[in-house]
Amino acid sequence: MTATDNPLLTPSTLPYGIPDYAAIKPEHYVPAFQAAFAEQRQQINAITRVRSAPTFENTLEAWERTGAHLEDVAHAFYTVSSADGTTDIQAIEEELAPLYTAHGDAIILDSALYARVRSIWESRDEHDYTPEQRYLIERRYAEMTHAGAGLGDDAKDRLKGLNTRLASLTTTFEKNLLADTNALAPHFTDATALDGVNSGELDAARAAAADRGEEGYLLSLPLFTGHPLLSSLTNRATRETVMAASRARATTGVNTNTDVLLEIARLRAERAELLGYASHAAYITSDETAGSPEAVHTRLRELAAPAARNARAEQQALQQLIDANEAEPFELQAHDWAYYTEKVRAEKYDVDTAALRPWFEAERVLQDGVFFAATQLYGITFAERADLPTYHPDARTFEVFNADGSALGLFVLDLYTRDTKRGGAWMNPLVSQSRLRGTKPVVVNNLNVPKPASGPTMLTLDEVNTLFHEFGHALHGLFAVVTYPHFAGTNVFRDFVEFPSQVNEMWIMWPEVLNNYARHIDTGEPLDAGVVARMQESETFNQGFATSEYLAAAWLDQAWHSLSAAEAAAITDVAAFQAAALADIGLDNAVVPPRYASTYFAHVFSGGYSAGYYSYIWSEVLDADTVEWFKESGGLTRANGDRFRQRLLGVGGSKDPLEAYRDFRGRDAEIAPLLKRRGLDT
């Protein structure tokens, strides 16, 4: 296949170097990957065969110049495979998984390259490097050592085999989960089963069924345990059906993930021991800000006890409501929690979150909320570029400009759920910024909002939160200005990466922002000030549940990945292991299931969060402390935004993240604001 036939064989000529998705076909990807693999191997060989002594320029900077073609192809493909994974794309992903891993291993484990990097690292104090150059030396050496570059040849061969097998297994896990999520989506023929949902939600369910050629109503399952509509559905049998479907995903049948995740856990533990670590968790955290699994376990246990206590108090209040109001009282179950929580919220605070949807029209939330807050803080502006090709008709592209009118980059938003999109919400780069390569950033946000059959899209409060959260990641990707692509965008420690996105959530309820976007779809009236005040008053409401379900998932991740190889090999019953782990930390409350159970825990078994799901609460310490700083410093101002951008978001991964935080905040983060936010300070 020639460059004329395959647009991925040559650099894109489109603005910002975005892929020409209008011309790209599935059959183009594998040949492009093969060509890009070969090209980077030649580039790396040219570095390792240099006879002159290793220098920063002829080794590390030269390494940074390699692989640009591969990065372009990979970004183009994996953006599609996660957001529009058709059968053809899934087959390509399965074929590529071991090949991509083997290619990466061939570089990161290259003995000659490692020797050159180590030589530069050992003599780093003898040279006047820039801070970014010095940090690149330190990180490349640490990462190669951590990956196993110092092992002997036999151990490296075993390591490569483990990595290749794990790449295939994690791809299988995601494929099985997507298939079972689609297969188990509850289907109802009678609208009365969905009593309690509004007309827009009912239309979206009807459209979802129609997309599959079916009549009736289909509820697409989100990635997390449960469903957003559980808070509205009046029919208890329907609630039970929906929750059962959610929790059954990938547990049995042709799409089961039980054997897959058991093998993943075992092989990760084997790999950790090969690399000299007691467990996969020890291996992962050794190169994160946490430093060790013990530090993570201590933090999670400290939070679990008060969270579980608060959840039990909330459970008691819900049970009392059931006993007092139901003609035939029953014992509260997991599928009842959201429904009766909203009743208690309405009774205690006079707030009905489901009734708020007319104030959260998606386009207005985006333009007058998300974009507005960014403009006020950072001076950036947005212009939609309908002329640029995207990978799916629902994906929209916006050009982003700095306050002085200069071009910053592109932002792509893909809002809606579809059967070919994996669950959850995420940000990924399509083009990474680098001074060395002369590239500007292009970032993508994906959500899974049900698409209405017609008319405007009305968001839930949780979906508004997700939109702001993911845009926080996008800002990190857009604002980072680095020389070396290794540090581009969100290429930071995993237990730091959620911090900027969490901070961006603070603007959802900020009066100036809320009043600008939260306008009734029909009347244009803002949210009543009394409602807003009561929403703010209820911020710690149900935090026992929210914190417990999160901590339960974080602990499951740690439990699976704190096993030795021998311990992992002895596990045969996923459900029993999960139950024992939750009991160990005191989060084994049947009505508060973990946010993600093992068989559908994509973050850790097919995503990049293995032994790292604790990152959300770890980062939230920084987030809550930063929110306090913004409040103390005047809130939504350009001066505050510029400081946050320049000292934290703008450095990308080119600086130790905790050092960057201290530079921004003037001190280390304190945990008290987090405890107060989650109602754990009493």
Side-chain angles (χ1 to χ4, degrees):
M1 186 175 290
T2 66
T4 304
D5 301 322
N6 187 340
L8 289 170
L9 292 177
T10 55
S12 170
T13 59
L14 294 177
Y16 297 88
I18 62 169
D20 187 2
Y21 282 118
I24 296 171
K25 299 177 181 178
E27 58 265 29
H28 292 152
Y29 287 113
V30 172
F33 270 104
Q34 291 171 335
F37 288 152
E39 180 182 316
Q40 190 176 27
R41 282 196 297 268
Q42 291 175 350
Q43 293 167 335
I44 293 295
N45 288 341
I47 296 171
T48 58
R49 291 172 182 170
V50 170
R51 293 186 177 183
S52 55
T55 66
F56 182 89
E57 290 73 21
N58 71 18
T59 302
L60 284 163
E61 186 169 297
W63 186 359
E64 291 296 296
R65 293 183 186 277
T66 75
H69 183 200
L70 177 58
E71 184 175 290
D72 289 345
V73 175
H75 283 168
F77 175 74
Y78 288 109
T79 294
V80 172
S81 69
S82 59
D84 193 20
T86 62
T87 301
D88 287 344
I89 293 296
Q90 286 185 0
I92 294 169
E93 187 170 23
E94 287 186 283
E95 179 182 354
L96 284 173
L99 300 178
Y100 199 88
T101 297
H103 174 76
D105 280 349
I107 295 173
I108 200 75
L109 301 179
D110 187 302
S111 297
L113 183 61
Y114 183 54
R116 296 183 70 86
V117 172
R118 184 177 61 230
S119 174
I120 297 167
W121 177 80
E122 289 172 344
S123 63
R124 65 194 183 283
D125 292 334
E126 301 170 12
H127 300 271
D128 187 23
Y129 294 120
T130 68
E132 186 176 351
Q133 288 174 333
R134 185 179 179 88
Y135 196 57
L136 182 64
I137 294 168
E138 293 170 350
R139 289 307 304 153
R140 282 295 197 185
Y141 177 68
E143 289 161 2
M144 292 189 81
T145 303
H146 191 248
L151 296 175
D153 290 343
D154 289 345
K156 281 185 181 178
D157 287 342
R158 174 60 180 152
L159 178 62
K160 291 175 181 178
L162 290 170
N163 288 343
T164 299
R165 177 60 179 160
L166 282 166
S168 295
L169 287 168
T170 54
T171 302
T172 298
F173 186 99
E174 183 171 325
K175 180 182 177 182
N176 287 348
L177 176 55
L178 178 61
D180 224 34
T181 298
N182 289 332
L184 292 176
H187 179 259
F188 302 94
T189 57
D190 190 344
T192 59
L194 300 180
D195 181 62
V197 305
N198 62 42
S199 59
E201 293 162 340
L202 199 64
D203 285 345
R206 185 187 296 111
D211 285 344
R212 296 191 184 184
E214 300 174 352
E215 296 185 355
Y217 308 88
L218 188 78
L219 298 186
S220 300
L221 293 172
L223 186 58
F224 59 83
T225 301
H227 196 284
L229 294 185
L230 287 176
S231 62
S232 304
L233 290 164
T234 63
N235 187 313
R236 190 168 188 242
T238 298
R239 296 200 302 269
E240 184 175 11
T241 296
V242 172
M243 179 62 85
S246 173
R247 300 183 71 178
R249 284 172 294 161
T251 56
T252 60
V254 66
N255 296 319
T256 180
N257 269 334
T258 54
D259 290 341
V260 178
L261 75 88
L262 286 171
E263 187 175 358
I264 290 173
R266 178 174 61 80
L267 295 186
R268 283 175 174 169
E270 283 186 30
R271 180 177 62 184
E273 290 191 2
L274 180 63
L275 291 165
Y277 294 88
S279 66
H280 182 67
Y283 169 68
I284 291 295
T285 55
S286 68
D287 197 38
E288 298 288 351
T289 68
S292 71
E294 290 77 19
V296 175
H297 296 178
T298 297
R299 173 65 54 80
L300 296 181
R301 286 189 183 278
E302 286 174 347
L303 299 175
R309 178 197 65 216
N310 290 353
R312 286 192 296 271
E314 293 163 2
Q315 179 180 350
Q316 184 178 12
L318 299 182
Q319 188 64 59
Q320 289 172 349
L321 181 70
I322 291 171
D323 293 344
N325 291 278
E326 295 295 339
E328 297 181 10
F330 48 82
E331 185 177 355
L332 178 76
Q333 300 294 325
H335 53 268
D336 299 314
W337 189 288
Y339 181 73
Y340 287 97
T341 290
E342 289 310 309
K343 287 186 173 295
V344 171
R345 192 195 309 270
E347 181 181 280
K348 188 173 182 179
Y349 297 102
D350 193 21
V351 172
D352 180 357
T353 57
L356 298 177
R357 292 186 72 162
W359 279 268
F360 299 146
E361 190 270 317
E363 188 66 14
R364 182 138 200 172
V365 173
L366 176 68
Q367 299 282 355
D368 298 338
V370 174
F371 287 173
F372 172 78
T375 300
Q376 298 304 302
L377 269 177
Y378 309 112
I380 59 175
T381 55
F382 305 82
E384 188 156 11
R385 292 290 303 269
D387 58 308
L388 298 180
T390 58
Y391 57 86
H392 190 277
D394 285 342
R396 302 167 62 190
T397 302
F398 298 85
E399 190 165 13
V400 189
F401 300 92
N402 287 305
D404 63 3
S406 61
L408 175 60
L410 295 178
F411 168 66
V412 180
L413 175 64
D414 187 351
L415 187 66
Y416 297 113
T417 190
R418 62 184 74 97
D419 284 351
T420 53
K421 182 187 283 192
R422 66 176 171 89
W426 65 94
M427 169 269 186
N428 67 270
L430 195 51
V431 179
S432 295
Q433 179 275 334
S434 166
R435 290 194 192 100
L436 188 70
R437 293 180 179 172
T439 52
K440 293 182 182 294
V442 180
V443 299
V444 184
N445 272 176
N446 264 280
L447 279 73
N448 267 285
V449 175
K451 187 176 183 179
S454 61
T457 300
M458 311 309 297
L459 302 179
T460 65
L461 184 56
D462 281 346
E463 288 164 345
V464 173
N465 189 87
T466 301
L467 189 57
F468 273 84
H469 176 97
E470 294 304 329
F471 192 71
H473 285 305
L475 289 173
H476 199 182
L478 287 166
F479 285 159
V481 179
V482 299
T483 299
Y484 303 109
H486 190 63
F487 294 140
T490 58
N491 287 340
V492 297
F493 290 119
R494 176 62 68 188
D495 57 10
F496 184 83
V497 74
E498 294 299 331
F499 160 54
S501 54
Q502 291 168 334
V503 169
N504 204 55
E505 296 173 24
M506 74 173 289
W507 308 116
I508 296 169
M509 296 296 294
W510 196 262
E512 185 179 351
V513 179
L514 182 68
N515 189 59
N516 201 56
Y517 76 83
R519 299 282 176 150
H520 194 280
I521 184 65
D522 295 323
T523 67
E525 290 297 313
L527 267 178
D528 181 83
V531 173
V532 175
R534 293 192 296 275
M535 288 173 66
Q536 293 171 331
E537 184 184 353
S538 67
E539 283 180 348
T540 60
F541 177 74
N542 204 43
Q543 276 298 316
F545 173 89
T547 306
S548 292
E549 68 158 1
Y550 163 76
L551 291 174
W555 188 254
L556 275 182
D557 173 31
Q558 288 298 306
W560 280 115
H561 292 118
S562 294
L563 299 170
S564 68
E567 290 169 338
I571 305 299
T572 58
D573 188 328
V574 171
F577 177 85
Q578 179 170 290
L582 295 177
D584 175 48
I585 197 172
L587 293 171
D588 52 339
N589 187 338
V591 298
V592 187
R595 185 164 178 82
Y596 302 100
S598 301
T599 60
Y600 53 90
F601 205 165
H603 285 77
V604 304
F605 289 116
S606 62
Y609 282 80
S610 65
Y613 192 65
Y614 74 91
S615 300
Y616 289 89
I617 203 76
W618 202 265
S619 296
E620 196 177 343
V621 174
L622 304 177
D623 158 39
D625 195 53
T626 298
V627 169
E628 291 300 305
W629 177 87
F630 269 104
K631 291 178 178 178
E632 294 165 0
S633 304
L636 190 75
T637 69
R638 276 294 306 280
N640 288 344
D642 287 346
R643 181 183 178 92
F644 192 56
R645 175 179 180 174
Q646 293 163 7
R647 301 196 181 198
L648 210 146
L649 301 180
V651 303
S654 67
K655 187 175 185 178
D656 178 271
L658 296 185
E659 182 183 333
Y661 185 82
R662 284 188 289 271
D663 183 40
F664 159 71
R665 187 68 167 99
R667 59 166 172 76
D668 289 330
E670 297 175 352
I671 197 172
L674 168 70
L675 298 178
K676 180 180 179 181
R677 171 191 290 184
R678 288 190 171 262
L680 303 176
D681 56 342
T682 57

